[in-house]
Amino acid sequence: QVQLVESGGGTVQAGGSLRLSCTASGRTFSNYPMGWFRQAPGKEREFVAAISSSGGRTLYQESVKGRFTISRDNAKNTVYLQMNSLKPEDTAVYYCARASIAVPDTTPSSYDSWGQGTQVTVSS
């Protein structure tokens, strides 16, 4: 199975930016939609963004639309999450995941491979 490794997390002030990266192993990376999820302390894991295998379709949680951008570079087996105008409520562990279905989806059950997570902390 594919191995996913996230990086790029850290601590920033409100209004700042971070760029998360997720690098995957395997030759079939480009065949799968990819997604980003996050989990804050005491909260359930929630959907953030997803992207189709070609990059032509994206989905976003309403609260991050206009601030976050998901993209992918299949030649590098990498998915990115550019996060701008960060808010304290964005603080969470962010996880990269590969979908087990053909189209992007918002539910964790549609993803079969997960990274270890990277911490994002936004201070006010």
Side-chain angles (χ1 to χ4, degrees), residues 8-89:
T11 301
V12 298
Q13 292 185 337
S17 298
L18 285 173
R19 188 192 193 196
L20 306 183
S21 298
C22 171
T23 299
S25 63
R27 296 178 59 189
T28 61
F29 174 85
S30 63
N31 295 331
Y32 299 92
M34 300 290 293
W36 287 95
F37 293 77
R38 66 188 182 186
Q39 187 167 21
K43 304 292 181 63
E44 294 185 350
R45 189 168 299 186
E46 67 176 357
F47 170 78
V48 177
I51 188 168
S52 63
S53 60
S54 68
R57 182 186 179 192
T58 57
L59 298 173
Y60 294 96
Q61 183 192 86
E62 183 177 359
S63 67
V64 307
K65 287 182 179 178
R67 300 189 298 120
F68 291 10
T69 302
I70 187 171
S71 62
R72 65 192 299 161
D73 185 340
N74 288 340
K76 296 181 178 180
N77 284 348
T78 300
V79 177
Y80 305 96
L81 185 67
Q82 178 68 46
M83 304 185 294
N84 299 326
S85 301
L86 283 162
K87 304 175 181 179
E89 52 262 44

Side-chain angles (χ1 to χ4, degrees), residues 88-109:
E89 52 262 44
D90 295 319
T91 295
V93 176
Y94 283 70
Y95 297 90
C96 172
R98 186 191 72 177
S100 60
I101 59 176
V103 297
D105 191 55
T106 64
T107 59
S109 62

